[in-house]
């Protein structure tokens, strides 16, 4: 797919799941320096023309997580767009880095809202997931072998 084609991909956000959420108050130390760990995982649910994007976020203090959230957004891709990504000879599908970044931005924004709602009226209600430069995390296209039952990859 050409870079300019990224803007023409028909898709819709079809499902949102909060896969994991936890707060660990004992790991939090007021006044200590915190850190953020963020990973993205992309996968194709078996038998669907969907691309799932997981945002896995940990707020850390002294290398120990004190807030953990993992959110999955599933994007249904328009059949003609899906077919245009498929290399039927290789039985592979390739998504451009620009399209992956776009889905990751939508997923991290969704995660930010879920995190806000879950932390409201808790000791961590001032925690906000900061903006993230996705370009630094997703730098290349991603190819999946459609012959595998479970296909996924991870960006850190």
């Amino acid at each position: 797919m050409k870079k300019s084609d990224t803007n023409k991909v028909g898709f819709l956000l079809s499902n949102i799941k909060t896969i994991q959420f936890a707060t660990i108050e004992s790991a939090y130390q007021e006044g200590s320096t915190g850190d953020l760990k963020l990973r993205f995982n992309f996968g194709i649910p078996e038998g669907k023309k969907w691309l799932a994007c997981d945002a896995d976020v940990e707020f850390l203090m002294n290398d120990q997580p004190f807030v953990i959230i993992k959110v999955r957004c599933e994007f249904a891709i328009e059949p003609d767009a899906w077919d245009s990504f498929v290399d039927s000879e290789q039985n592979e599908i390739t998504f451009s880095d620009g399209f992956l970044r776009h889905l990751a931005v939508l997923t991290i924004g969704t995660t930010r809202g879920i995190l806000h709602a879950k932390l409201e009226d808790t000791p961590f209600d001032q925690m906000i997931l900061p903006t993230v430069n996705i370009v630094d995390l997703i730098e290349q296209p991603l190819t999946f072998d459609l012959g595998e039952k479970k296909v996924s990859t991870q960006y850190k």
Side-chain angles (χ1 to χ4, degrees):
M1 176 169 54
K2 297 176 196 159
K3 211 172 204 181
S4 62
D5 293 341
T6 301
N7 296 330
K8 299 178 185 176
V9 177
F11 71 93
L12 65 92
L13 177 57
S14 57
N15 198 15
I16 300 169
K17 295 179 185 178
T18 302
I19 297 170
Q20 182 179 20
F21 176 76
T23 57
I24 305 159
E25 290 185 42
S26 62
Y28 181 77
Q29 296 174 2
E30 185 96 25
S32 292
T33 303
D35 200 8
L36 180 71
K37 186 176 181 181
L38 172 64
R39 292 178 298 278
F40 288 102
N41 190 54
F42 292 89
I44 301 172
E46 189 175 353
K48 297 190 177 185
K49 292 184 177 184
W50 290 9
L51 184 58
C53 179
D54 293 354
D56 191 352
V57 180
E58 293 180 356
F59 288 87
L60 305 168
M61 193 149 289
N62 300 318
D63 294 322
Q64 297 297 312
F66 64 93
V67 175
I68 301 167
I69 187 166
K70 184 174 184 178
V71 172
R72 174 174 296 151
C73 289
E74 295 176 337
F75 300 91
I77 305 202
E78 191 266 332
D80 287 340
W82 181 274
D83 292 343
S84 74
F85 302 145
V86 173
D87 178 342
S88 53
E89 288 181 17
Q90 299 294 319
N91 200 28
E92 295 177 337
I93 188 165
T94 301
F95 299 100
S96 73
D97 51 343
F99 183 61
L100 296 170
R101 283 187 208 117
H102 185 65
L103 299 185
V105 166
L106 294 171
T107 302
I108 201 70
T110 301
T111 302
R112 187 174 292 110
I114 293 169
L115 183 67
H116 169 75
K118 290 198 171 277
L119 292 179
E120 198 167 31
D121 298 324
T122 74
F124 304 117
D125 65 356
Q126 297 302 309
M127 297 298 308
I128 297 174
L129 182 56
T131 57
V132 179
N133 185 354
I134 303 296
V135 173
D136 291 342
L137 298 173
I138 301 173
E139 300 176 325
Q140 60 192 13
L142 180 59
T143 299
F144 294 97
D145 180 345
L146 294 173
E148 294 182 18
K149 286 202 174 219
K150 181 181 178 189
V151 290
S152 68
T153 194
Q154 182 169 299
Y155 289 95
K156 295 181 183 183

